[in-house]
Structures are given as C-alpha cells and as structure tokens.
Amino acid sequence: MANRIRDCGRLDDLTRFAQECARAGNLGDLQGTIDAAVRELGFRWFTLLHNVDLRRGCGESLFLTTYPSAWLEEVLAERHYVEDPIHAACARTPSGLAWDRVGDVLELSSRQRSILKRARDHDLAAGYSLPIRTPGEPEAIFTVARPRDEPLDAAEILTARLLGSVAYDRARELLGEGIRTFVFVPLSPRQVECIALVAQGKSDWEIAQILGLSRDTVHEYVESARRRYGVRRRTQLVLRAVRDGHLNMDALL
C-alpha cells in the first residue's frame, strides 16, 4: 500500500510538471520549470539539447542545461563532446540508458573512461540519458544527473523518461519554425576517410601520410565537405558527418 501511495504521488508530480510545461511561454521559462521538477524528483542537474554544434544554444538549436559551468567549459575546451561515452552509448539504444550501464553497450576507450571520471569529479556521478529522435530533425538528448553515486532504480528511470518526453515536446513547440530540418549531404568515401581522421585530431599532412595522398588533395577533400555543409569549423563538420550517418562514434575513437 505504501508503494502504491508513493507511486500515485509521483504520478501527480509528473502530471503537474506537464501542466507547468504547457504554461511555459519561452525556453527560459521552460528551463526553470524543468529545473524545479528534476530537483523535486530527486535529481540535481539536467540537460536538454540537440546533439549538434554544442557551442550554440540559440536560434534553431536547443540547449537547456543546469550543468555546472566549470564542467561545460571543460567539455568545450577539451572537446569531450566528440568522444562523449554517454552520447555514444545512447546511439546504440532506442530508449536511453542509465549511466552505470554504459559499459554494457559500449567498449569504453581510455579516453572515454577519463571523461566519465572527470564528470564524477564535477559531481555528475549518476544519471540517465534519453535519446529523442524525430525524422527530419536533429536528434535530441535529455539527461538528468545527481552527485549521489548509486544506480537509479526502475521508478527513477521511468520518471526520467517521462520528464524528457514532456520537456522536449514543449521545447519543440516553443521553437516552432526555429527547428531546422536537415537535408542529407552526400560525401565521397575519400571525404569520409579524411573527416574520420580529422575527428581523431590528425593534421592534413598526417592524413596525407596515412592515406597516401598529397596534403593539398586532403585539404581539398575536407574543405569541399565543409563547404557542402556550410559550416566554418572542422569540429562542426565532424559533428554533421556523425549526424548524417557518414561516421559512427566508433570511427572517432
């Protein structure tokens, strides 16, 4: 009986959360609503973002977060997002996963283990990440996290999934026409090979040595792909290539 009463209370909380999300008039209001809900339901931080171009948080992109600012700065400065083990694992599951299960679906590299350790150093010890896929739109990910390093139970996982679905539906409504639909950009096999090596931090000269090409040829392959995508930075090119399925996360390791 006690469990049923607690479950009913949790359902009431989620129903109220959905109603408050519906009343949010802009993304700033929505972030405050999500923040209050995740704290009330036992988490500490959340992130809701389109999994593209993490340096941008406005316009057609979606980037709502309460993560510690020091961690966000490290993620961008150290390019953790390129090899993020949570996002890589999410790509292999249709319904999300708790962080303690990442090793069950992904063979972690030393770099990825280091990223998880650095996250724990910033008190991001346990969490759940939910991939949200809408045809023709950038993939989104909703994550809740807490400093307490213990596995989430079944009720907490279900709560996180419901929070993420409700929050993203409202964010999508608020973005409206601001959500950009993406057109698949074709790339040649050589371009894909070059971009995969760019993702590993190789210079044009190093890529040329690996592939047996001239440095100028490598440069043109990469720059042509960059122009096709209409991006300014090679990091953006790598993320676009992953988004379109030219590269999977394993190719970045």
Side-chain angles (χ1 to χ4, degrees), residues 10-24:
R10 180 64 58 91
L11 182 59
D12 287 343
D13 290 338
L14 290 168
T15 300
R16 186 170 66 254
F17 172 68
Q19 294 169 341
E20 291 173 353
C21 283
R23 288 195 291 269

Side-chain angles (χ1 to χ4, degrees), residues 150-192:
E150 62 184 50
L152 277 67
D153 62 31
E156 289 173 322
I157 289 173
L158 180 57
T159 297
R161 293 177 66 179
L162 292 172
L163 282 174
S165 297
V166 171
Y168 181 68
D169 284 348
R170 183 54 182 155
R172 192 167 176 271
E173 290 173 351
L174 291 170
L175 283 171
E177 295 300 318
I179 295 183
R180 179 174 58 191
T181 58
F182 291 115
V183 177
F184 178 82
V185 174
L187 298 175
S188 72
R190 275 301 195 191
Q191 284 178 312
V192 173

Side-chain angles (χ1 to χ4, degrees), residues 13-109:
D13 290 338
L14 290 168
T15 300
R16 186 170 66 254
F17 172 68
Q19 294 169 341
E20 291 173 353
C21 283
R23 288 195 291 269
N26 54 57
L27 291 177
D29 292 342
L30 182 62
Q31 175 163 322
T33 297
I34 301 171
D35 182 30
V38 300
R39 289 171 181 268
E40 184 176 350
L41 294 171
F43 304 104
R44 174 62 181 82
W45 298 284
F46 86 90
T47 290
L48 175 60
L49 70 137
H50 282 147
N51 192 21
V52 292
D53 198 355
L54 299 187
R55 292 179 181 273
R56 300 173 61 187
C58 58
E60 70 278 359
S61 64
L62 173 64
F63 192 3
L64 304 180
T65 186
T66 58
Y67 270 14
S69 59
W71 172 239
L72 294 176
E73 291 170 2
E74 179 175 327
V75 167
L76 294 176
E78 301 298 326
R79 300 177 71 234
H80 292 334
Y81 53 87
V82 175
E83 300 179 39
D84 188 318
I86 303 300
H87 290 195
C90 277
R92 301 188 179 194
T93 176
S95 57
L97 80 167
W99 292 359
D100 61 301
R101 287 195 56 246
V102 170
D104 296 340
V105 299
L106 185 70
E107 185 175 349
L108 294 169
S109 68

